[in-house]
Amino acid sequence: MYSPDNIFTTTIDKAVRWSRTQSMWPVTFGLACCAIEMMAAGSAKYDLARYGMEVFRASPRQADLMIVAGRVSQKMAPVLRQVYDQMAEPKWVIAMGACSSTGGMFNNYALVQGVDHIVPVDIYVPGCPPGPQSLMHGILTLHDKIMAGEINR
Amino acid sequence: MVKNKENSEDLDFWATNSEEGGWNISSTDEGSQKMNDEESEQQIKIQTGSDVVDDYFIEEETSEDERMIVNMGPQHPSTHGVLRLQVELEGEAVRRVKPIIGYLHTGMEKTGEELTYLQGPTNTTRMDYLSPFFNELVFSLTTEKLLDIEVPARAETIRILMTELNRVSSHLVALATGGMDIGALSMMIFGFRERELVLNFFEKTTGLRMNHNYIRPGGVAADLPDNWQKDVKEILKIIPEKLKDYDEMLLDNPIWQGRLQNVGIITPEECLAYGITGPSLRASGQGWDLRKMQPYSGIEKFDFDVPVLQESDVFARWRIKVLEILESLKIVEQAMDNMPKGPYKIQDKKVTPPPRKRLDESMEALIHHFKIYTEGFKVPEGDAYVAVESPRGELGCYIVSDGSSKPFRMHVRGPSFCNLQALPIVMADSPIADAVAAIASLDPVIGDVDR
């Protein structure tokens, strides 16, 4: 119901940035060990629902954030890029763990040495695997980044 | 037309191993849309070396138009990672399934040739990421067999304690994700909640929640923390209570029973023909458990049973994991009560690095420390294979040593890889709705399949 007594003013920039952070739906992109910690972050004890993020979407079209959780092999790389391309703008990427950030301990023929060779990465979360707390810190850092950034990326 | 075909082959290079024979390349960029040419029953028998009846071939009277090939994965929440399946459907019924693996190939066996034996567990622990302790254990046991050394009693019991707790946490994840795949979302929340209990103990002991690098050739990396019995007692108290909750919620639930009973049956003969081990084999009436058959790390001293079920369906494979958790907790309790005192590493200067405080006092200790961490210890020439019973089945490690401080070749026999072979027979001739239940019940970990 419309009530003329309750009014607040803001800028469109702030409103858009705020709304983007408050329900950022990740796409399920579990690859390896980090995916288990990502699932743990979404479960009872750590509970990503507090940030409106518990809805891991199976379809990239409905997601805003891709958490690349695990090692990306050369065979998986085109699949990853395709999923990223299918996501609707605006979209963000978190490289979770050492392997997706830099290749980690596997400097060999099979792995992509850092997922930033394929997609632009916003936040790198260190650890092998990063605990749920680290992942949540990465997500909150991304929120800060969005709140401080431009709405036109 | 010819030009078009060339294009599609370029695109298909990533999606499939298109150099393989028998593949028909279509003109989409989704990878091959046709499966292998149908093989005769005789050929299958020759390939598998068995008389297993493969009854999943398409009946002659159905025409090509009624069949449809659906790609499932590699990015799919129910394939437990990055497994890709080509499913040939006839209406709602699955007729043929072709699992395509390699999307998580990390080259770990090759990396293992460039790491010393002391660094080896760092690598192997990341293979089957739900049961890291077992990977470390099997690598350490193989190295110890080559070195011909025996670890102290305390180290062996710590190993048993940690691996059996790891079996509990791994089965809890299997129950959780299995429940999630079939739609019981509360099971997912519950399973991960109880897993945190075990993981907290791991973190306290090893410093990490996963990928511990704790069990190393010659013993374990650190002693158990102070008051560790308190944490283990808490685990022993809480988890059986919660398992009763799971039973009330799911096992006694008529919807759950009706959904999973008589679904995804693997007969004992098929199990033996395909080399399936672990809970899936024991749910098919075969009481094969390496802990009893080829005991390792002194597990023969513990009193426990091997649960065996006869039903061979998805429901039995679910139920046996609950029973195995209870048996593992029995072993954990005995290990806690009978923990021997003494060193937790072998007292062999050539294998165990000296403790930090000795480095300030002794030149000899400093030299040993430097040599072990830079060059590593030398392992005599030869080869060895050791297998342990991981939560998913027989996990084996085969190492060939050329006398240097690094393995000449390291091969790991992953249980998930062999169990995944059964997917075509489990899923064939069943409704597509049961496909996800069948995958979940086999509990494949793609890190273990691809390595």
Side-chain angles (χ1 to χ4, degrees):
Chain A
M1 208 166 75
Y2 176 71
S3 160
D5 298 337
N6 298 328
I7 290 175
F8 72 91
T9 56
T10 181
T11 60
I12 194 86
D13 269 35
K14 267 188 193 160
V16 167
R17 287 190 297 228
W18 176 80
S19 58
R20 277 178 185 172
T21 57
Q22 291 309 304
S23 72
M24 189 179 266
W25 288 0
V27 62
T28 47
F29 207 84
L31 294 168
C33 335
C34 294
I36 306 293
E37 290 297 67
M38 188 170 75
M39 282 153 78
S43 298
K45 192 175 173 188
Y46 298 99
D47 198 10
L48 273 179
R50 285 180 286 166
Y51 309 108
M53 293 183 62
E54 81 284 12
V55 211
F56 280 87
R57 300 315 293 190
S59 160
R61 313 252 183 224
Q62 301 162 352
D64 312 299
L65 169 68
M66 182 157 78
I67 303 174
V68 184
R71 38 193 195 248
V72 183
S73 67
Q74 305 279 3
K75 191 173 179 180
M76 196 64 194
V79 182
L80 188 138
R81 178 70 208 192
Q82 191 171 10
V83 170
Y84 178 78
D85 287 341
Q86 284 172 345
M87 284 164 66
E89 288 277 359
K91 52 192 172 187
W92 293 273
V93 177
I94 291 181
M96 179 180 180
C99 298
S100 64
S101 299
T102 65
M105 61 172 286
F106 302 108
N107 187 2
N108 61 20
Y109 65 94
L111 275 206
V112 176
Q113 299 296 305
V115 75
D116 45 10
H117 284 103
I118 311 164
V119 292
V121 177
D122 294 284
I123 300 286
Y124 298 88
V125 181
C128 189
Q133 299 101 324
S134 306
L135 176 63
M136 278 154 74
H137 181 253
I139 288 167
L140 292 178
T141 313
L142 181 63
H143 286 183
D144 291 346
K145 192 177 170 182
I146 294 168
M147 286 304 276
E150 298 287 320
I151 58 167
N152 293 322
R153 284 162 33 92
Chain B
M1 190 63 202
V2 174
K3 198 184 166 200
N4 200 5
K5 203 186 167 212
E6 276 173 12
N7 265 340
S8 71
E9 270 175 5
D10 284 342
L11 285 166
D12 204 60
F13 174 74
W14 290 102
T16 62
N17 188 3
S18 56
E19 286 160 26
E20 216 174 282
W23 280 89
N24 294 312
I25 313 289
S26 76
S27 58
T28 68
D29 61 349
E30 296 277 317
S32 297
Q33 296 291 312
K34 286 205 174 166
M35 312 190 78
N36 274 331
D37 297 333
E38 280 173 43
E39 289 165 279
S40 72
E41 203 165 322
Q42 193 55 41
Q43 271 177 310
I44 291 287
K45 275 183 191 169
I46 292 163
Q47 279 171 12
T48 57
S50 72
D51 280 342
V52 176
V53 181
D54 289 279
D55 57 349
Y56 55 88
F57 294 104
I58 295 133
E59 287 155 27
E60 292 298 320
E61 57 262 31
T62 31
S63 72
E64 283 262 335
D65 304 342
E66 287 170 45
R67 284 185 239 147
M68 181 169 65
I69 292 177
V70 173
N71 271 295
M72 182 176 171
Q75 194 262 324
H76 189 283
S78 296
T79 52
H80 287 221
V82 285
L83 174 66
R84 179 177 164 203
L85 298 173
Q86 280 188 330
V87 186
E88 190 167 330
L89 298 172
E90 196 186 302
E92 280 267 303
V94 176
R95 287 302 177 217
R96 287 201 295 171
V97 179
K98 180 172 177 154
I100 298 166
I101 61 171
Y103 286 98
L104 196 60
H105 179 62
T106 318
M108 282 175 171
E109 288 180 1
K110 190 72 191 164
T111 303
E113 292 166 17
E114 280 154 27
L115 300 175
T116 63
Y117 286 95
L118 197 65
Q119 294 167 329
T122 324
N123 181 33
T124 48
T125 190
R126 284 162 176 78
M127 286 178 175
D128 182 349
Y129 40 80
L130 285 179
S131 54
F133 281 120
F134 286 94
N135 299 321
E136 297 162 20
L137 177 68
V138 74
F139 181 86
S140 303
L141 287 175
T142 316
T143 310
E144 282 154 14
K145 193 175 175 187
L146 281 168
L147 283 167
D148 199 19
I149 53 174
E150 287 212 0
V151 297
R154 187 176 174 86
E156 284 204 329
T157 316
I158 292 177
R159 284 175 175 187
I160 293 296
L161 176 83
M162 298 310 267
T163 47
E164 292 305 319
L165 279 173
N166 197 184
R167 191 186 308 277
V168 173
S169 73
S170 173
H171 277 345
L172 281 172
V173 173
L175 297 179
T177 52
M180 179 180 68
D181 288 345
I182 303 162
L185 270 178
S186 5
M187 189 58 232
M188 146 105 187
I189 306 279
F190 285 7
F192 271 92
R193 185 184 64 192
E194 270 69 87
R195 178 175 176 262
E196 288 294 327
L197 261 181
V198 185
L199 255 60
N200 282 348
F201 178 64
F202 287 169
E203 192 171 14
K204 212 181 215 179
T205 311
T206 70
L208 278 164
R209 286 160 56 86
M210 295 163 74
N211 302 349
H212 312 276
N213 191 15
Y214 178 68
I215 298 172
R216 296 181 191 176
V220 294
D223 208 350
L224 293 164
D226 296 344
N227 284 328
W228 59 275
Q229 287 97 337
K230 193 167 149 273
D231 298 311
V232 175
K233 270 180 195 150
E234 201 190 342
I235 293 170
L236 289 173
K237 182 168 161 286
I238 292 177
I239 288 187
E241 285 172 17
K242 301 293 181 187
L243 287 178
K244 275 183 205 143
D245 287 357
Y246 302 170
D247 285 1
E248 273 177 37
M249 187 172 73
L250 294 175
L251 288 187
D252 304 338
N253 180 341
I255 300 173
W256 186 257
Q257 289 174 358
R259 178 78 176 79
L260 297 184
Q261 275 170 350
N262 295 320
V263 167
I265 289 177
I266 319 177
T267 62
E269 294 76 35
E270 284 167 342
C271 280
L272 296 181
Y274 283 83
I276 293 163
T277 46
S280 310
L281 178 64
R282 292 192 285 275
S284 300
Q286 303 272 347
W288 177 262
D289 189 322
L290 289 181
R291 287 177 292 175
K292 291 278 188 200
M293 301 300 170
Q294 300 171 14
Y296 53 86
S297 281
I299 200 157
E300 65 275 11
K301 285 178 279 187
F302 295 87
D303 176 34
F304 66 100
D305 299 324
V306 176
V308 179
L309 297 176
Q310 304 295 335
E311 288 88 345
S312 353
D313 55 3
V314 173
F315 190 69
R317 269 172 257 149
W318 166 279
R319 202 148 54 95
I320 203 154
K321 286 182 187 121
V322 178
L323 299 174
E324 283 190 7
I325 290 177
L326 292 170
E327 292 301 323
S328 288
L329 289 177
K330 262 197 216 168
I331 301 176
V332 169
E333 190 168 12
Q334 291 167 41
M336 181 181 73
D337 294 340
N338 307 316
M339 181 62 74
K341 293 206 163 27
Y344 57 91
K345 283 177 186 169
I346 186 171
Q347 299 301 300
D348 182 338
K349 288 195 182 82
K350 292 292 172 200
V351 178
T352 303
R356 176 67 189 83
K357 61 172 186 270
R358 289 284 297 146
L359 300 191
D360 303 333
E361 301 161 357
S362 155
M363 190 64 197
E364 196 73 9
L366 190 67
I367 292 168
H368 273 299
H369 189 275
F370 183 74
K371 287 286 261 187
I372 285 175
Y373 277 104
T374 52
E375 196 180 75
F377 49 82
K378 294 227 174 7
V379 169
E381 263 182 62
D383 59 334
Y385 177 82
V386 177
V388 299
E389 182 73 25
S390 99
R392 270 156 282 281
E394 177 178 340
L395 175 68
C397 183
Y398 179 67
I399 294 179
V400 181
S401 168
D402 57 355
S404 72
S405 58
K406 292 169 184 173
F408 176 74
R409 174 82 170 91
M410 180 187 73
H411 176 70
V412 172
R413 187 255 188 224
S416 304
F417 178 72
C418 298
N419 292 356
L420 203 66
Q421 292 183 94
L423 214 51
I425 50 165
V426 181
M427 284 170 68
D429 287 335
S430 64
I432 181 114
D434 293 344
V436 169
I439 302 171
S441 73
L442 284 177
D443 189 24
V445 172
I446 305 301
D448 194 26
V449 176
D450 291 341
R451 285 191 292 281

